[in-house]
């Protein structure tokens, strides 16, 4: 993708369990850009028991979204790191309309634009299956059945409306097939734009 050595900036969206993290990692390696995932940053901070970790633990553990100001502050500093000069893949940000508006402002300040918004679509029953399986494999505390319910609720109430915010710019990808198929589909769709 970054054939002309232009930075590539991608917003990766989709419900929890859609495969954002996995696709994000594959694409980040292919395009040689950092994958920036606030959920990963929060988990690391919680583990290290930092001030930020303590602040977000209750939200993250219960499947609730962390308050916008906290996430926006984190992303402001992360997007100003030198490794973002090649671009980025945002995985799990923005997750609310307020965050999306803040990202627009932040990018305007930095004289940058995003290139693509990708939405990975997967039906609920498959999401729940995948998340429960991940709970067993990775031992994530937010992959228990009750917490999964909260996370999906938060997604439908606060994140899904972002699809209207981005409107025509959203590239819809079916996230149900095997990993390699999904990656290929993304590459094909982006390559043909
Ligand atoms: P994830 O790994 O993306 O599923 O995120 C795990 C948890 O981190 C979420 O359930 C939220 O509690 C928190 N989180 C991650 N990204 C955001 C965000 N953009 N806004 C608010 N909370 C977030």
């Amino acid at each position: 993708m970054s054939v002309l050595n232009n930075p590539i900036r991608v917003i990766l969206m989709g419900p929890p369990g859609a495969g954002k993290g996995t696709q994000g990692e594959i694409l980040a390696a292919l395009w040689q850009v950092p994958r920036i995932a606030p959920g990963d940053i929060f988990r690391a901070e919680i583990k290290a028991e930092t001030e930020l970790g303590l602040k977000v633990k209750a939200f993250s553990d219960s499947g609730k979204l962390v308050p916008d100001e906290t996430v926006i502050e984190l992303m402001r500093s992360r997007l100003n790191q030198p490794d973002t000069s090649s671009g980025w893949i945002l995985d799990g940000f923005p997750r609310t309309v307020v965050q999306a508006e803040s990202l627009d402002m932040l990018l305007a300040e930095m004289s940058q634009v995003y290139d693509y918004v990708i939405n990975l679509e997967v039906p609920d029953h498959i999401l729940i299956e995948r998340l429960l399986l991940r709970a067993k494999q990775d031992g994530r505390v937010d992959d228990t059945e009750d917490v999964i319910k909260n996370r999906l609720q938060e997604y439908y109430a606060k994140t899904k409306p972002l699809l209207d915010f981005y409107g025509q710019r959203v590239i819809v990808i079916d996230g149900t097939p095997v990993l390699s198929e999904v990656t290929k589909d993304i590459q094909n769709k982006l390559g043909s734009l």
Side-chain angles (χ1 to χ4, degrees), residues 40-50 53-54 56-57:
D40 280 5
I41 300 173
F42 290 144
R43 273 185 291 281
E45 299 278 331
I46 291 169
K47 203 167 168 203
E49 297 182 353
T50 64
L54 293 173
V56 302
K57 184 175 168 35

Side-chain angles (χ1 to χ4, degrees), residues 38-39 42-43 60 64-66 71 92-93 95 99 140 151:
F42 290 144
R43 273 185 291 281
S60 176
K64 298 279 179 196
L65 291 184
V66 168
V71 186
F93 181 87
R95 254 171 153 121
Q99 291 179 20
R140 263 181 65 164
R151 294 171 66 207

Side-chain angles (χ1 to χ4, degrees), residues 89-103:
I89 295 173
L90 299 187
D91 166 2
F93 181 87
R95 254 171 153 121
T96 64
V97 172
V98 170
Q99 291 179 20
E101 287 167 349
S102 300
L103 177 62

